[in-house]
Each structure stands twice: as C-alpha cells, then as structure tokens.
Amino acid sequence: MEMSTIRELVEEDMKAVDALILQRLQSDVVLINQVGHYIVNSGGKRLRPMIVLLAARALNYQGNRHIDLAAVIEFIHTATLLHDDVVDESDMRRNRDTANAVWGNAASVLVGDFLYSRSFEMMVDMGMMRVMEVLSHATNRIAEGEVLQLLNCNDPDTTEEKYREVILRKTATLFEAGSRLGAVLGEATSEQEQALADYGLHLGIAFQIIDDALDYSTSSEEIGKNIGDDLEEGKPTLPILRAMEVGTPEQRQALREVIEKGGREHIDVVMAAIESTDAIEYTARLAQEEAEKAKTALLTLPSSPFRDALTALADFSVRRRS
C-alpha cells in the first residue's frame, strides 16, 4: 500500500484535523498566530495524527473525538519541534528557516509553551481522564528524553543502550501515545490496546533510527538539512556509535574527538569511518527489526484496510528518504 492510498483512507478525517488545528491555533496575540501557523504549515508529514486516526478506525470507531486527539498530538509534536530547534540551535528544518531563526529563541520557546497548554485545554474539553493520563505521562517522558539527550551531547562514552533510551522517550513515546489513544477511543480490549501501544512504540523507534541514518546518507536538498547536522551538535547517534564500536583504534579516537568538540570540520573522516564499518547498513537493519515488531503487534487487530494501512506505515518508516 502506497502513502497516497493511506492518505486517501483518512482524507476526510485529515481535512477535519487540519481545520481544527487552524481553529485552535487562533490567539489574540498576533505573534502566536504568526509562529504557530508558520511551524504547523511547514510541510510535515502529519504522521502522528494519521496514526491516531488509523488506530481508531481500525477498531471501527465511529465518533469524532479521534479528530480532537489527532490535533492534540500534532500540537504536542509541534511544541517539541519549536523547543528542539532552540536547544539544538538549528536554523533549518524541512528546507525552511526554523521559527527561532526567523523570530528568535524567546518567541519559539513561548509559542511552544502556548501549544502545550492549548493541547491540554483541548484534552480537558474532551472530559476523558484516560486521555489526560496517557498524554500527561507522554509529555513528561518526552521532556525526560530531551534532558537525557542533552546529557549525551559531546559524550563519546554514550552507549547504544543510552541512545535507545533517548529515542524511546523523546520520539517513540508520542507515537505510542497516539496509537494507544486510538485504541482507547475504539473501546479496545486490554490486549488490543497494549498491542497498538507496542505498535506505536516500535514504529517510533524505527522512524527515529532511520532519521539518524539519513543524517549521514543524504543531501541537504533532500531533507532540508546538511549532512552531519547531528554531529555538529555533538549528538552521538547510532551510525557514529556503531562506527566507534567496530572501527579501527584510529577511527575510534578520531570519532571521540569529533563528538567531544562537535562541528562539521572533520565530516570527511566521519563519513569514511561510517562507510568502512557499514554503520548505515547496521542502523537500517535495526530499524527494520523494529518495524517488523510493529507489524507483528498489529496481528491482534481485526483485518481491515485501516490495519493494512498501519502495516504499510511501518514499511514506510524504514524505506523513506526524507
């Protein structure tokens, strides 16, 4: 199943989500409107809200609260992007200037706070304590992941286990929450709810692992950033960690120094080490394993085009090029 087919399945739902996002973005503070619209309309895949919609529909949910939850998930995701770009001092995302590059760090952080608080207003409006429980836990875990990543920056002794813990909390948690909430709305059995949560978790891990691989295997024209952006920020992601683990002593020492100092000055040395150790292939293989776990988790759901679409999203997560 192609991405275009998946989008067609939830086309009307996604239109409703987009309309609700624009409606709930409104504020009488002009700068909030400007920054909020800029980041929300920046060309993202809307993958996380799509998972909420598909998960609910896979359990034959017929109401409209999945629209609200999909918008909430997108607001939380957008808030994390605003904060991430400030922390990472990024100036480009998806081939556009980041919000902090346009309006400054203070505005980006504060509008991110607005989106967080607006998302919780929307949760309260729904009047479902289970929704509040899942998403309050998720946002807390995401914040923990951000702090853990900060601790790993410029640390050449970061382990693969520490790396996985960061992406589990920072990225996979929101995927997990979105798919779990689709199950909650669909009044799933406890087994089905856990299966959908497992699906989201493994999908999110696969998605982030591939994202980290793309940082060393594609051009800035394709994904809107420069090769080695993570390295410049001193982030020891999986391709680097693998190259350090199996590379020569000289390569390990060179990579340690690059991680400690950050920057892109020695990108040629880094790329040579990654290529000679097949680190990208190793990274892709681990992502594929996570995608397979995600697909296996879906087998507890009844057969439907929506379950097929969730399966296809797992495949998409590991074969994407942007």
Side-chain angles (χ1 to χ4, degrees):
M1 185 181 292
E2 298 299 320
M3 255 327 257
S4 57
T5 307
I6 298 172
R7 293 187 186 282
E8 285 173 10
L9 267 179
V10 289
E11 184 176 6
E12 293 305 312
D13 283 347
M14 284 302 299
K15 287 179 180 177
V17 172
D18 289 342
L20 182 59
I21 285 173
L22 291 176
Q23 176 191 334
R24 297 310 298 262
L25 263 179
Q26 294 303 313
S27 168
D28 57 7
V29 179
V30 174
L31 184 60
I32 289 177
N33 291 328
Q34 291 175 332
V35 179
H37 280 81
Y38 183 86
I39 186 71
V40 165
N41 295 322
S42 63
K45 300 176 184 66
R46 294 279 204 273
L47 189 59
R48 293 157 186 83
M50 191 185 300
I51 288 169
V52 178
L53 302 177
L54 289 170
R57 293 299 195 192
L59 290 167
N60 201 33
Y61 176 68
Q62 297 299 314
N64 56 21
R65 283 181 165 177
H66 64 317
I67 305 298
D68 299 283
L69 280 179
V72 166
I73 289 287
E74 185 66 8
F75 274 169
I76 292 173
H77 173 56
T78 304
T80 65
L81 294 184
L82 284 165
H83 289 169
D84 279 357
D85 286 339
V86 171
V87 172
D88 296 340
E89 300 179 5
S90 300
D91 58 12
M92 181 179 285
R93 181 182 288 275
R94 300 169 185 152
N95 281 316
R96 299 178 79 197
D97 292 336
T98 55
N100 51 297
V102 178
W103 286 280
N105 289 342
S108 291
V109 169
L110 294 173
V111 173
D113 291 345
F114 168 83
L115 292 175
Y116 266 129
S117 57
R118 178 51 54 87
S119 69
F120 274 86
E121 280 186 339
M122 294 170 69
M123 288 181 231
V124 171
D125 289 344
M126 292 183 68
M128 295 178 67
M129 183 56 69
R130 180 66 173 140
V131 168
M132 294 285 290
E133 180 185 8
V134 170
L135 285 175
S136 59
H137 176 68
T139 52
N140 193 259
R141 293 267 290 173
I142 292 167
E144 289 174 336
E146 289 282 5
V147 175
L148 285 174
Q149 180 171 268
L150 190 64
L151 292 174
N152 288 349
C153 278
N154 303 114
D155 180 6
D157 294 315
T158 298
T159 62
E160 188 173 316
E161 182 181 3
K162 288 181 179 179
Y163 161 81
R164 289 180 66 89
E165 186 63 27
V166 167
I167 64 172
L168 189 153
R169 297 187 191 217
K170 184 174 177 286
T171 301
T173 289
L174 196 57
F175 281 82
E176 177 189 25
S179 52
R180 182 186 291 278
L181 289 174
V184 169
L185 289 181
E187 298 182 345
T189 65
S190 57
E191 181 186 16
Q192 289 173 330
E193 180 183 323
Q194 188 57 52
L196 271 168
D198 290 343
Y199 164 81
L201 189 73
H202 291 299
L203 175 67
I205 293 172
F207 187 89
Q208 186 60 54
I209 288 176
I210 289 297
D211 205 59
D212 292 339
L214 286 171
D215 195 56
Y216 294 101
S217 61
T218 191
S219 67
S220 58
E221 288 79 12
E222 289 178 90
I223 62 172
K225 62 179 185 177
N226 300 307
I227 289 179
D229 272 354
D230 288 341
L231 188 66
E232 184 171 32
E233 296 157 13
K235 293 179 183 176
T237 56
L238 191 55
I240 291 286
L241 295 176
R242 178 61 176 175
M244 288 180 65
E245 181 183 0
V246 301
T248 66
E250 293 77 17
Q251 287 174 326
R252 283 198 292 274
Q253 183 57 38
L255 291 174
R256 286 184 66 89
E257 292 176 4
V258 170
I259 291 170
E260 287 174 343
K261 296 175 183 176
R264 205 183 279 109
E265 293 84 359
H266 303 291
I267 189 64
D268 291 344
V269 173
V270 172
M271 292 301 294
I274 287 175
E275 289 169 8
S276 69
T277 56
D278 292 329
I280 295 299
E281 289 78 2
Y282 173 81
T283 301
R285 187 166 66 251
L286 290 193
Q288 184 65 52
E289 289 174 5
E290 293 295 332
E292 292 302 322
K293 290 177 183 176
K295 291 193 290 185
T296 299
L298 293 174
L299 296 178
T300 61
L301 303 186
S303 180
S304 73
F306 299 103
R307 189 186 78 172
D308 293 343
L310 289 168
T311 298
L313 280 182
D315 290 328
F316 165 77
S317 71
V318 292
R319 71 167 188 261
R320 66 195 180 94
R321 292 294 176 265
S322 65

